[in-house]
PDB file of all heavy atoms in Angstrom:
ATOM      1  N   LEU C 204     129.676  60.286  83.140  1.00 94.00           N
ATOM      2  CA  LEU C 204     128.626  59.485  83.734  1.00 94.00           C
ATOM      3  C   LEU C 204     127.255  60.192  83.691  1.00 94.00           C
ATOM      4  O   LEU C 204     126.250  59.569  83.370  1.00 94.00           O
ATOM      5  CB  LEU C 204     128.999  59.116  85.187  1.00 94.00           C
ATOM      6  CG  LEU C 204     128.117  58.173  85.965  1.00 94.00           C
ATOM      7  CD1 LEU C 204     128.135  56.773  85.316  1.00 94.00           C
ATOM      8  CD2 LEU C 204     128.510  58.078  87.388  1.00 94.00           C
ATOM      9  N   ILE C 205     127.267  61.443  84.056  1.00 95.00           N
ATOM     10  CA  ILE C 205     126.032  62.264  84.050  1.00 95.00           C
ATOM     11  C   ILE C 205     125.476  62.316  82.617  1.00 95.00           C
ATOM     12  O   ILE C 205     124.272  62.195  82.364  1.00 95.00           O
ATOM     13  CB  ILE C 205     126.282  63.628  84.591  1.00 95.00           C
ATOM     14  CG1 ILE C 205     126.722  63.621  86.048  1.00 95.00           C
ATOM     15  CG2 ILE C 205     125.029  64.552  84.423  1.00 95.00           C
ATOM     16  CD1 ILE C 205     125.613  63.025  86.946  1.00 95.00           C
ATOM     17  N   MET C 206     126.370  62.560  81.685  1.00 95.00           N
ATOM     18  CA  MET C 206     125.911  62.642  80.222  1.00 95.00           C
ATOM     19  C   MET C 206     125.284  61.268  79.824  1.00 95.00           C
ATOM     20  O   MET C 206     124.220  61.263  79.157  1.00 95.00           O
ATOM     21  CB  MET C 206     127.128  62.933  79.326  1.00 95.00           C
ATOM     22  CG  MET C 206     127.563  64.370  79.398  1.00 95.00           C
ATOM     23  SD  MET C 206     126.447  65.478  78.574  1.00 95.00           S
ATOM     24  CE  MET C 206     126.641  64.914  76.885  1.00 95.00           C
ATOM     25  N   GLN C 207     125.925  60.192  80.209  1.00 95.00           N
ATOM     26  CA  GLN C 207     125.375  58.880  79.847  1.00 95.00           C
ATOM     27  C   GLN C 207     123.952  58.623  80.402  1.00 95.00           C
ATOM     28  O   GLN C 207     123.095  58.198  79.737  1.00 95.00           O
ATOM     29  CB  GLN C 207     126.335  57.820  80.336  1.00 95.00           C
ATOM     30  CG  GLN C 207     127.642  57.708  79.550  1.00 95.00           C
ATOM     31  CD  GLN C 207     128.680  56.785  80.243  1.00 95.00           C
ATOM     32  OE1 GLN C 207     128.502  56.326  81.408  1.00 95.00           O
ATOM     33  NE2 GLN C 207     129.728  56.478  79.568  1.00 95.00           N
ATOM     34  N   ILE C 208     123.838  59.014  81.676  1.00 96.00           N
ATOM     35  CA  ILE C 208     122.574  58.726  82.361  1.00 96.00           C
ATOM     36  C   ILE C 208     121.442  59.548  81.800  1.00 96.00           C
ATOM     37  O   ILE C 208     120.336  59.080  81.452  1.00 96.00           O
ATOM     38  CB  ILE C 208     122.671  59.023  83.906  1.00 96.00           C
ATOM     39  CG1 ILE C 208     123.627  57.944  84.470  1.00 96.00           C
ATOM     40  CG2 ILE C 208     121.323  58.974  84.593  1.00 96.00           C
ATOM     41  CD1 ILE C 208     123.982  58.269  85.941  1.00 96.00           C
ATOM     42  N   TYR C 209     121.690  60.894  81.585  1.00 96.00           N
ATOM     43  CA  TYR C 209     120.561  61.685  80.974  1.00 96.00           C
ATOM     44  C   TYR C 209     120.328  61.394  79.536  1.00 96.00           C
ATOM     45  O   TYR C 209     119.189  61.485  79.172  1.00 96.00           O
ATOM     46  CB  TYR C 209     120.973  63.187  81.179  1.00 96.00           C
ATOM     47  CG  TYR C 209     120.725  63.764  82.581  1.00 96.00           C
ATOM     48  CD1 TYR C 209     121.685  63.725  83.576  1.00 96.00           C
ATOM     49  CD2 TYR C 209     119.485  64.294  82.899  1.00 96.00           C
ATOM     50  CE1 TYR C 209     121.503  64.151  84.839  1.00 96.00           C
ATOM     51  CE2 TYR C 209     119.228  64.794  84.181  1.00 96.00           C
ATOM     52  CZ  TYR C 209     120.220  64.673  85.188  1.00 96.00           C
ATOM     53  OH  TYR C 209     120.005  65.169  86.433  1.00 96.00           O
ATOM     54  N   THR C 210     121.317  61.041  78.796  1.00 96.00           N
ATOM     55  CA  THR C 210     121.088  60.579  77.428  1.00 96.00           C
ATOM     56  C   THR C 210     120.228  59.318  77.359  1.00 96.00           C
ATOM     57  O   THR C 210     119.306  59.186  76.576  1.00 96.00           O
ATOM     58  CB  THR C 210     122.421  60.410  76.653  1.00 96.00           C
ATOM     59  OG1 THR C 210     123.172  61.600  76.715  1.00 96.00           O
ATOM     60  CG2 THR C 210     122.152  60.036  75.216  1.00 96.00           C
ATOM     61  N   LEU C 211     120.614  58.370  78.237  1.00 96.00           N
ATOM     62  CA  LEU C 211     119.840  57.139  78.292  1.00 96.00           C
ATOM     63  C   LEU C 211     118.398  57.414  78.685  1.00 96.00           C
ATOM     64  O   LEU C 211     117.480  56.786  78.156  1.00 96.00           O
ATOM     65  CB  LEU C 211     120.482  56.167  79.338  1.00 96.00           C
ATOM     66  CG  LEU C 211     119.778  54.885  79.694  1.00 96.00           C
ATOM     67  CD1 LEU C 211     119.627  53.977  78.414  1.00 96.00           C
ATOM     68  CD2 LEU C 211     120.463  54.078  80.787  1.00 96.00           C
ATOM     69  N   THR C 212     118.214  58.338  79.635  1.00 96.00           N
ATOM     70  CA  THR C 212     116.854  58.736  80.039  1.00 96.00           C
ATOM     71  C   THR C 212     116.071  59.249  78.863  1.00 96.00           C
ATOM     72  O   THR C 212     114.879  58.936  78.657  1.00 96.00           O
ATOM     73  CB  THR C 212     116.920  59.767  81.162  1.00 96.00           C
ATOM     74  OG1 THR C 212     117.664  59.244  82.273  1.00 96.00           O
ATOM     75  CG2 THR C 212     115.532  60.181  81.607  1.00 96.00           C
ATOM     76  N   GLY C 213     116.718  60.065  78.056  1.00 95.00           N
ATOM     77  CA  GLY C 213     116.009  60.627  76.874  1.00 95.00           C
ATOM     78  C   GLY C 213     115.600  59.551  75.873  1.00 95.00           C
ATOM     79  O   GLY C 213     114.483  59.590  75.332  1.00 95.00           O
ATOM     80  N   VAL C 214     116.489  58.509  75.652  1.00 96.00           N
ATOM     81  CA  VAL C 214     116.177  57.416  74.805  1.00 96.00           C
ATOM     82  C   VAL C 214     114.957  56.605  75.287  1.00 96.00           C
ATOM     83  O   VAL C 214     114.026  56.284  74.503  1.00 96.00           O
ATOM     84  CB  VAL C 214     117.369  56.493  74.598  1.00 96.00           C
ATOM     85  CG1 VAL C 214     116.980  55.212  73.782  1.00 96.00           C
ATOM     86  CG2 VAL C 214     118.491  57.208  73.878  1.00 96.00           C
ATOM     87  N   ILE C 215     114.924  56.345  76.598  1.00 95.00           N
ATOM     88  CA  ILE C 215     113.809  55.604  77.154  1.00 95.00           C
ATOM     89  C   ILE C 215     112.514  56.423  77.091  1.00 95.00           C
ATOM     90  O   ILE C 215     111.450  55.869  76.882  1.00 95.00           O
ATOM     91  CB  ILE C 215     114.150  55.205  78.613  1.00 95.00           C
ATOM     92  CG1 ILE C 215     115.355  54.311  78.725  1.00 95.00           C
ATOM     93  CG2 ILE C 215     112.944  54.433  79.261  1.00 95.00           C
ATOM     94  CD1 ILE C 215     115.327  53.064  77.874  1.00 95.00           C
ATOM     95  N   CYS C 216     112.640  57.729  77.256  1.00 95.00           N
ATOM     96  CA  CYS C 216     111.471  58.612  77.131  1.00 95.00           C
ATOM     97  C   CYS C 216     110.913  58.500  75.696  1.00 95.00           C
ATOM     98  O   CYS C 216     109.704  58.470  75.520  1.00 95.00           O
ATOM     99  CB  CYS C 216     111.855  60.066  77.382  1.00 95.00           C
ATOM    100  SG  CYS C 216     112.073  60.431  79.151  1.00 95.00           S
ATOM    101  N   ALA C 217     111.798  58.456  74.653  1.00 95.00           N
ATOM    102  CA  ALA C 217     111.374  58.367  73.325  1.00 95.00           C
ATOM    103  C   ALA C 217     110.665  57.067  73.022  1.00 95.00           C
ATOM    104  O   ALA C 217     109.621  57.009  72.356  1.00 95.00           O
ATOM    105  CB  ALA C 217     112.568  58.575  72.393  1.00 95.00           C
ATOM    106  N   LEU C 218     111.216  55.962  73.631  1.00 94.00           N
ATOM    107  CA  LEU C 218     110.570  54.637  73.441  1.00 94.00           C
ATOM    108  C   LEU C 218     109.214  54.640  74.080  1.00 94.00           C
ATOM    109  O   LEU C 218     108.292  54.086  73.508  1.00 94.00           O
ATOM    110  CB  LEU C 218     111.527  53.569  74.068  1.00 94.00           C
ATOM    111  CG  LEU C 218     110.952  52.116  74.025  1.00 94.00           C
ATOM    112  CD1 LEU C 218     110.693  51.675  72.572  1.00 94.00           C
ATOM    113  CD2 LEU C 218     111.907  51.184  74.682  1.00 94.00           C
TER     114      LEU C 218
END
Side-chain angles (χ1 to χ4, degrees):
L204 186 66
I205 296 299
M206 286 287 294
Q207 290 171 347
I208 292 171
Y209 279 89
T210 302
L211 176 62
T212 301
V214 172
I215 301 301
C216 287
L218 177 59

